[in-house]
């Protein structure tokens, strides 16, 4: 059965998980961070090569200031706490998104974590933070425009390849499997370009409840999909 090389996840439902238990939203996010740990481990065991997690969207700045602080503190503390064991288990960590709004200290820690783990190859863990699919397309368009202005590129040569090469996930193959927990069936400005041919899997489980077994179910479901990439079924099966 085929295993997706690249899995991308919208981890939704932390707030509802907490409120159902009469707990503050922050407690839901803390449980969500625990779930991240288990899913990273489980993805590695199930031979996923790249796991991209949506931790904080461009739009999440619009949440109350206290919640933004909780999320960013949790992100920073989780990275600090997990970096040694991730490094030991061969996880390469990288971040996609706009870093300019973060403190110098946080940017430094992110860069250090990337540098420390850059030679690891068991699993690529990509954290999307202050990320938006529209932001990604805009920054790629800006880079294309700069290349044209600097005479490195002819505007007539702009194509899917040259644009794709300037997107945040350019070095990784596109996600094969997209998962969203928490019951909503939408993409919410995640990897707009990269999800073009991903299989879309929606789970009603709230993120803190999503565990290795839930991931295995999603991977099983993926194994039963026939991916055609716009071709006829027969041609897709033979690769012709
Ligand atoms: C959505 O739940 C979740 C988020 C906005 C943040 C995801 C963050 C984590 C899981 C923790 C830290 C992550 C890392 C990578 C260390 P929600 O608050 O929108 O839930 P709701 O829809 O039930 O309100």
């Amino acid at each position: 059965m085929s295993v997706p090389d690249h899995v991308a996840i919208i981890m939704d439902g932390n707030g509802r998980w907490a409120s159902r238990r009469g707990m503050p939203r922050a407690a839901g996010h803390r449980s969500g961070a625990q779930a991240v740990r288990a899913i990273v481990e489980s993805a590695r065991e199930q031979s996923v090569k790249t796991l991209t997690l949506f931790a904080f969207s461009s739009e999440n700045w619009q949440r109350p200031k206290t919640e933004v602080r909780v999320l960013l503190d949790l992100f920073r503390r989780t990275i600090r706490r997990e970096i040694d064991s991730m490094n030991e288990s061969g996880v390469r960590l990288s971040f996609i998104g706009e870093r300019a709004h973060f403190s110098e200290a946080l940017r430094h820690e992110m860069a250090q974590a990337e540098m420390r783990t850059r030679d690891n190859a068991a699993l690529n863990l990509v954290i999307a933070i202050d990320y938006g699919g529209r932001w990604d397309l805009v920054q790629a368009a800006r880079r294309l425009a700069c290349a044209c202005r600097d005479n490195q590129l002819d505007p007539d040569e702009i194509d899917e390849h040259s644009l794709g090469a300037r997107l945040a996930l350019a070095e990784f193959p596109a996600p094969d499997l997209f998962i969203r927990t928490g019951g909503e069936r939408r993409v919410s400005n995640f990897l707009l370009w990269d999800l073009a041919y991903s299989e879309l899997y929606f789970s009603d489980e709230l993120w803190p409840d999503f565990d290795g077994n839930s991931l295995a179910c999603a991977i099983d479901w993926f194994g039963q999909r026939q991916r055609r990439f716009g071709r006829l079924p027969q041609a897709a099966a033979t690769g012709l």
Side-chain angles (χ1 to χ4, degrees):
M1 206 193 61
S2 69
V3 170
D5 281 339
H6 187 169
V7 178
I9 308 183
I10 295 186
M11 310 178 285
D12 195 15
N14 294 345
R16 278 165 287 163
W17 185 92
S19 62
R20 281 179 197 175
R21 288 164 176 74
M23 292 155 91
R25 291 179 60 83
H29 293 312
R30 281 196 296 276
S31 293
Q34 295 296 329
V36 166
R37 177 172 219 239
I39 288 300
V40 169
E41 188 56 29
S42 171
R44 201 174 55 84
E45 282 166 12
Q46 296 183 61
S47 308
V48 170
K49 295 194 180 75
T50 302
L51 177 66
T52 299
L53 301 177
F54 206 3
F56 190 90
S57 76
S58 313
E59 291 73 31
N60 284 155
W61 293 109
Q62 293 163 43
R63 292 194 177 194
K65 265 202 177 94
T66 46
E67 180 156 344
V68 169
R69 193 168 325 119
V70 162
L71 281 168
L72 294 182
D73 279 356
L74 186 59
F75 166 68
R76 190 170 175 181
R77 278 188 287 118
T78 307
I79 299 302
R80 273 189 197 163
R81 197 181 55 230
E82 302 295 334
I83 188 73
D84 288 342
S85 73
M86 282 200 270
N87 196 29
E88 272 160 36
S89 53
V91 174
R92 177 187 160 200
L93 188 57
S94 41
F95 305 100
I96 56 170
E98 173 61 73
R99 299 185 195 198
H101 306 300
F102 297 145
S103 67
E104 178 68 44
L106 179 55
R107 287 206 298 266
H108 178 72
E109 280 186 49
M110 289 162 71
Q112 286 288 107
E114 287 179 319
M115 204 124 74
R116 232 186 112 187
T117 59
R118 72 183 162 192
D119 295 326
N120 293 342
L123 174 79
N124 297 306
L125 174 61
V126 182
I127 309 282
I129 181 149
D130 197 3
Y131 176 87
R134 290 178 177 174
W135 165 85
D136 200 357
L137 285 162
V138 167
Q139 65 82 28
R142 196 178 295 130
R143 289 164 73 187
L144 281 175
C146 290
C148 292
R149 180 197 59 199
D150 299 340
N151 291 321
Q152 291 156 0
L153 185 67
D154 178 343
D156 287 336
E157 282 167 10
I158 293 175
D159 58 10
E160 290 186 16
H161 177 78
S162 52
L163 194 146
R166 287 165 174 85
L167 289 168
L169 277 185
E171 69 168 300
F172 303 106
D176 303 290
L177 172 62
F178 160 91
I179 299 173
R180 180 178 187 138
T181 63
E184 305 290 357
R185 272 117 177 102
R186 54 181 174 246
V187 169
S188 298
N189 198 20
F190 196 22
L191 304 159
L192 296 181
W193 174 282
D194 318 71
L195 295 180
Y197 282 102
S198 308
E199 298 295 329
L200 308 180
Y201 181 89
F202 297 97
S203 164
D204 289 333
E205 274 184 293
L206 303 175
W207 174 251
D209 295 327
F210 195 83
D211 58 14
N213 192 38
S214 316
L215 180 64
C217 288
I219 290 177
D220 272 357
W221 173 87
F222 173 84
Q224 291 156 33
R225 315 302 333 140
Q226 192 197 43
R227 307 186 75 196
R228 294 202 285 272
F229 302 95
R231 293 173 295 187
L232 293 176
Q234 181 61 21
T238 58
L240 295 172

